[in-house]
Amino acid sequence: MTRKSLSILMTAMLSISVFMTACSSKSEEKQSEETQGSKTTETTQTEQADTPKSEEPFPITIMLPLNIAETPPDDIKKEVEKLTNTKLTYQFFPADTYEEKLTATFATGSLPQVTYLKNQATFMSMKEAIKDGQFWEIGPLLSEFPNLNKLKPEILNNTKVDGKLYSLYIGRPLARQGIIYRKDWADALGLKAPETTEDLYNMMKAFTEGDPDKNGKNDTIGLADRNDLVYGAFKTIASWFGTPNNWGDKDGQLLPEFMFPQYIESMDYMKKIRNEKLMNQDFLATSKTDQTSLFTSGKAGVYIGSMQDVDSLNKDLIKNVPTAVVDTAALIKGPEGQQSTWAIPGYNNVVLFPKSAVKDEAELKKILAYFDKMMTPEVANVMYWGIEGVHYSVVDGKAKVSDDKEKVEREVKGYKDSVIGEPETNGMYDPLNTLPARIHADSELIPANEKIAIADPTAALDSATFAEKGAQLQEIMTDATYKYMYGQIDQAGFEKAIENWKSRGGQAMIDEYNVSNK
């Protein structure tokens, strides 16, 4: 993202006039009536002077990505406004195009007071603007807010820029990536849950060629993937092959993941799957919506990504295939027999506070006070789970989501995705899971994943070149990775792309990260 100056946006305050009426009792005598009226007026004036006026709701405008098709209704927003004494204006934009909208809004200096990014990568690309002083530093203020002060220090440290804290984070499990697959298909074909990358390949091949739905047609594929090398299938598969998480150590030097042989092996694996037509051929042009449709329509049998997606995938799948059964799998062994997976730095998104929209520290503190209230169980539960008795009920101290999953997703998810912290810090209910595949993921696979997770060694490091050119440089290697998997370039062509990456700033990035790591 290029550095641009932001214009100062003043926030309009909401004025509410409070009218009080005084009433007096009737009297038979006019003089007594006047006297009583005088006393009543005097008393009312005294009460008005002695009683403090309630504080007016504070207006806050919030921009955030929307991961559902339609903007949610205001029911939850209104409830949150009551609980936090705020007047909230949400600016929802579709997640698929959110980065472009964020870039355009930033360039015109029109970001609102509260600006959510999209993911970790978007945050990294915003670091240049943060260093340029275009967002408020909030680290020194957190001690004034008891609930914000509960946020995990180790995760806050992963979001610091030049050692300073500018953001609040949306917490997520460290390593929730794995496989969601059609267990009924596997059972029909005599397959067990995959334990190795070879097992996974064999499952995808059988799901494509073995008529798993028993309809006598060649109309199924193994893997449904999308145009995302990180949150789609590729990065998770690469981690099973032992590829470092973004950066790794080779002979005492930090180098990018694509300079390791395991990255090449992972591309070869994906290329083989595509060449044998065991997956959607046009995955580079496939959105997440289309990817999930391949799975939920009954065409594809394997989805690789967050295992916590299983609830929504199962919900839509059984509408189309009522007899379908899903399960989750992880802890996949690579070719050398090792187990590894990649970890996020404890968050999947952050929220920033632009100086162009937040005029001074006093206004910033009022906004932080809102987030401090968000980190109470009362507010966090409303935003994350919805309204009790409508969207969820409490069973055994956990949140049981209503059977009307469409209503819950339509009315709650837009707000749910903005809750900062995690249950340990904001006190909201844990879910009462009823789907066996989700229970399997949450109680067994995700905790086990965390024990073998590969961290990104550069998460808390700094590189001026990355801040300035990271997104453009990444495009070089993303393009080369897809071309390799599509068979448009060979290994020599891929290595040529690496040299291009190094010459245009990549080598400087390597040098800077290694200096920062000392």
Side-chain angles (χ1 to χ4, degrees):
M1 181 175 295
T2 57
R3 295 171 60 172
K4 297 193 178 273
S5 299
L6 299 176
S7 61
I8 302 297
L9 301 177
M10 298 298 291
T11 304
M13 298 294 290
L14 178 68
S15 298
I16 300 176
S17 298
V18 179
F19 295 98
M20 298 186 66
T21 60
C23 57
S24 60
S25 62
K26 293 183 178 180
S27 173
E28 292 180 0
E29 296 182 9
K30 185 177 180 181
Q31 185 175 359
S32 296
E33 184 180 19
E34 291 174 350
T35 302
Q36 184 65 32
S38 176
K39 288 180 179 178
T40 303
T41 303
E42 184 178 322
T43 301
T44 303
Q45 290 173 341
T46 301
E47 288 174 351
Q48 288 176 330
D50 293 343
T51 304
K53 293 176 66 177
S54 59
E55 190 174 342
E56 296 177 350
F58 182 68
I60 303 175
T61 301
I62 302 167
M63 176 178 172
L64 71 169
L66 184 66
N67 291 290
I68 53 178
E70 298 177 4
T71 300
D74 289 346
D75 304 60
I76 289 173
K77 178 178 82 83
K78 290 176 180 177
E79 188 66 23
V80 172
E81 287 175 333
K82 292 177 189 175
L83 293 170
T84 59
N85 194 34
T86 53
K87 182 67 177 176
L88 303 175
T89 300
Y90 281 91
Q91 298 176 351
F92 289 105
F93 297 100
D96 285 348
T97 57
Y98 190 74
E99 287 166 312
E100 291 87 341
K101 182 65 180 179
L102 186 67
T103 300
T105 308
F106 173 70
T108 57
S110 52
L111 292 176
Q113 297 153 293
V114 174
T115 301
Y116 283 82
L117 303 187
K118 183 180 179 182
N119 51 38
Q120 181 189 354
T122 314
F123 174 54
M124 296 300 176
S125 70
M126 193 66 78
K127 280 190 173 182
E128 180 187 7
I130 294 172
K131 289 180 182 181
D132 196 35
Q134 298 185 41
F135 296 91
W136 283 96
E137 181 188 358
I138 63 170
L141 303 177
L142 289 196
S143 61
E144 299 180 27
F145 301 95
N147 297 313
L148 292 179
N149 214 29
K150 296 175 185 176
L151 289 167
K152 296 180 178 180
E154 64 273 22
I155 299 177
L156 290 174
N157 285 336
N158 285 338
T159 70
K160 287 183 176 178
V161 179
D162 282 347
K164 298 178 180 180
L165 183 67
Y166 297 83
S167 60
L168 302 174
Y169 70 83
I170 300 174
R172 290 293 184 270
L174 289 175
R176 54 183 181 159
Q177 306 301 110
I179 302 167
I180 299 169
Y181 70 98
R182 288 287 298 273
K183 186 177 185 302
D184 56 325
W185 284 9
D187 290 345
L189 298 171
L191 300 173
K192 298 186 300 182
E195 296 180 1
T196 67
T197 51
E198 186 66 19
D199 290 343
L200 177 60
Y201 164 79
N202 289 332
M203 174 177 278
M204 291 186 285
K205 189 174 182 67
F207 281 1
T208 304
E209 300 174 355
D211 190 22
D213 56 2
K214 303 303 180 184
N215 68 354
K217 299 177 182 178
N218 183 23
D219 58 356
T220 58
I221 57 173
L223 175 67
D225 196 21
R226 67 180 186 266
N227 56 355
D228 189 333
L229 291 179
V230 178
Y231 297 102
F234 179 75
K235 189 174 181 69
T236 298
I237 288 174
S239 72
W240 294 333
F241 275 82
T243 306
N245 185 1
N246 297 330
W247 290 71
D249 184 282
K250 181 184 285 187
D251 300 326
Q253 184 182 29
L254 288 178
L255 293 174
E257 59 186 353
F258 48 77
M259 294 180 69
F260 286 75
Q262 296 93 332
Y263 193 94
I264 300 291
E265 293 173 19
S266 305
M267 290 194 297
D268 285 336
Y269 184 86
M270 290 289 290
K271 182 180 179 182
K272 181 180 181 181
I273 294 168
R274 183 177 182 275
N275 285 348
E276 295 183 14
K277 299 183 179 178
L278 310 183
M279 66 182 297
N280 50 313
Q281 296 293 282
D282 60 344
F283 68 99
L284 172 56
T286 302
S287 67
K288 183 175 182 179
T289 300
D290 291 337
Q291 175 202 21
T292 57
S293 292
L294 285 171
F295 189 89
T296 59
S297 66
K299 179 175 176 60
V302 175
Y303 174 100
I304 298 175
S306 169
M307 289 182 285
Q308 293 179 332
D309 287 345
V310 70
D311 290 300
S312 59
L313 289 175
N314 180 72
K315 172 180 66 69
D316 292 335
L317 172 62
I318 59 176
K319 290 179 191 174
N320 298 311
V321 189
T323 58
V325 179
V326 297
D327 202 356
T328 46
L331 311 174
I332 305 299
K333 295 177 183 177
E336 305 302 319
Q338 83 288 349
Q339 284 183 327
S340 56
T341 191
W342 66 284
I344 64 171
Y347 68 92
N348 78 330
N349 201 1
V350 300
V351 57
L352 295 169
F353 310 96
K355 288 185 177 179
S356 61
V358 182
K359 62 180 182 295
D360 54 33
E361 189 174 284
E363 182 177 334
L364 177 63
K365 286 184 177 181
K366 288 184 178 181
I367 295 170
L368 291 177
Y370 160 72
F371 280 97
D372 193 65
K373 291 175 183 175
M374 185 195 290
M375 285 196 65
T376 61
E378 186 179 26
V379 180
N381 281 325
V382 170
M383 296 192 72
Y384 195 88
W385 296 113
I387 299 171
E388 186 176 354
V390 177
H391 302 107
Y392 77 101
S393 57
V394 180
V395 178
D396 297 332
K398 296 183 178 181
K400 182 180 185 300
V401 178
S402 163
D403 291 335
D404 191 347
K405 301 295 191 297
E406 287 80 5
K407 176 182 176 68
V408 173
E409 181 166 292
R410 182 176 65 252
E411 298 181 0
V412 180
K413 185 165 176 56
Y415 304 103
K416 176 179 185 175
D417 290 344
S418 69
V419 178
I420 62 167
E422 49 275 296
E424 309 97 279
T425 56
N426 60 32
M428 67 185 181
Y429 293 119
D430 284 320
L432 180 71
N433 294 318
T434 56
L435 182 66
R438 178 64 186 268
I439 295 171
H440 185 205
D442 281 3
S443 63
E444 298 179 42
L445 299 178
I446 292 175
N449 258 355
E450 293 189 4
K451 296 177 182 178
I452 59 169
I454 307 168
D456 178 357
T458 67
L461 301 181
D462 201 31
S463 161
T465 302
F466 179 90
E468 182 181 356
K469 301 178 180 178
Q472 299 95 308
L473 289 171
Q474 184 57 47
E475 286 179 10
I476 296 173
M477 299 315 303
T478 296
D479 183 58
T481 299
Y482 279 119
K483 284 183 176 179
Y484 187 98
M485 292 189 294
Y486 269 54
Q488 296 170 357
I489 60 172
D490 57 12
Q491 187 167 343
F494 189 77
E495 290 172 355
K496 184 177 180 181
I498 293 176
E499 293 304 314
N500 182 32
W501 177 87
K502 289 168 69 175
S503 68
R504 293 175 61 178
Q507 185 59 54
M509 195 187 304
I510 292 173
D511 296 340
E512 289 160 3
Y513 272 136
N514 280 281
V515 169
S516 180
N517 195 37
K518 291 180 180 179

